Every structure is written in C-alpha cells, then in structure tokens.
Amino acid sequence: MKSKLTAVALAAIVVAGTAAAAVPASAAPAEAEPARCHTADLKAGFAMGDDAKPEMGQTEKQTQAYIWFTNRSKHTCTLSGFAGVDMIGAQETDGTWSLARSSKKPEKMILEQGDTVDFSITLLPVAKSTPKKEKFVPAKFLVTPPNETKHFTLEWPFGGQILKQDGATHPGTYLNPVGL
C-alpha cells in the first residue's frame, strides 16, 4: 500500500510539472572550510620574548626556540602538520641539517587575518669546547610552511651551538608540529 501511495504522489508531482526533491537536513551544505595557508599568505620569524629565547648558554638540558607564522593575507586559512626546517651551519664542516619531526600529532590551526601560530624546535646545546666535528653552529634556518615548497630564510639570532646529530635516528634536536 505504501508503494502505491508513493507512486501516486510522484505521478502527481510530475503531472503538475513540479520537480521536488527531499534533502535531509544532514545533507545540507556545510560552511566551506578555509583553504590552507600558502607561503605567500604568511610571514615568519623567531619568537624573541624573554620567555621564548632558547637557553643556548647552558649545556645540561634541552631548550626550545620558537618560530611563528602570521597570516598576512586578507582571508582565513589553515595550517596543519609540520613545517620543514633545514638548518644551515656557520662552520664549513656543518653543511645543512634537515630536522627530524617529533612523534606529536598535528592539529589543524585556523588563522584569521592577522592571527599568529608558532611551533617549537627542541635543541640540545653543547659547550664551546666541544670538538668541531661534534657540534653544529646554526647560522640560517630555511623554514617551509606545512604542505608548501617555498621557504622563508631566517637568520639564527641566538648564538651557541648544538650537538651534531644530523644522522641520528632519535636526535636531541627536532621540531614539533605547528600549534604545539
């Protein structure tokens, strides 16, 4: 009986020349999610506040440096994941060191126009007396936003040196995801 009533109702709609479609509320279009942030949408730098500077003068423990991204575009965008960070050393033996990622899980960050988000780099400083081949002296950081190919070049402003572990599986110097 139900199918006959449905067929009659559909026939009445077709005969009347009216097309109707039932759309469940759950299928209604959701608000579009903002596009991801591109390098051109952002500016970047090292956090320079007293509580954000790494303690490069000590050698007993790891310390953190923070790099920020600010949305300078006129639209909202998202960042999610890890930035790419390549350190360029000041010593001729340093070369370039692509930093490993932590095991922390990234979260999606939504940046309105003018919003800033940062990420930390954990560093393992060493004494100046450490042999040259065992230390890396940072000079520049090439910082690529998540899922991008163009980078920012940032001068390392904090001095010091870190234990050279560019070939280590679990180095004492590594980066965390954006927003963490």
Side-chain angles (χ1 to χ4, degrees):
M1 184 75 163
K2 213 177 207 182
S3 62
K4 278 189 180 182
L5 287 176
T6 304
V8 171
L10 286 174
I13 291 172
V14 171
V15 170
T18 307
V23 178
S26 62
E31 194 171 309
E33 185 169 309
R36 72 178 165 85
C37 300
H38 297 282
T39 305
D41 297 327
L42 303 168
K43 58 184 175 179
F46 282 103
M48 299 300 289
D50 287 337
D51 60 342
K53 291 180 184 177
E55 298 175 67
M56 296 304 291
Q58 59 82 33
T59 58
E60 294 79 41
K61 61 182 179 173
Q62 291 171 306
T63 187
Q64 280 75 39
Y66 295 87
I67 295 176
W68 50 261
F69 292 119
T70 297
N71 180 1
R72 65 185 187 136
S73 74
K74 294 185 188 255
H75 62 273
T76 300
C77 60
T78 64
L79 281 176
S80 180
F82 289 84
V85 177
D86 294 327
M87 294 189 303
I88 298 174
Q91 304 176 117
E92 61 188 47
T93 57
D94 286 340
T96 300
W97 178 356
S98 295
L99 295 184
R101 298 173 173 182
S102 73
S103 60
K104 293 183 179 177
K105 300 292 181 216
E107 297 176 12
K108 184 174 286 189
M109 308 303 296
I110 298 174
L111 298 177
E112 302 282 336
Q113 182 181 7
D115 283 353
T116 297
V117 66
D118 65 9
F119 66 94
S120 63
I121 299 174
T122 300
L123 304 160
L124 184 56
V126 294
K128 286 184 180 183
S129 60
T130 302
K132 186 176 185 177
K133 66 179 182 175
E134 295 176 24
K135 67 182 175 183
F136 187 95
V137 180
K140 294 181 182 178
F141 280 56
L142 306 180
V143 180
T144 308
N147 304 307
E148 286 293 297
T149 57
K150 294 182 181 173
H151 66 266
F152 296 98
T153 302
L154 305 177
E155 300 288 328
W156 176 248
F158 304 115
Q161 51 278 322
I162 57 178
L163 183 61
K164 189 170 187 171
Q165 296 179 309
D166 53 343
T169 304
H170 298 287
T173 297
Y174 56 87
L175 59 108
N176 289 303
V178 172
L180 298 178

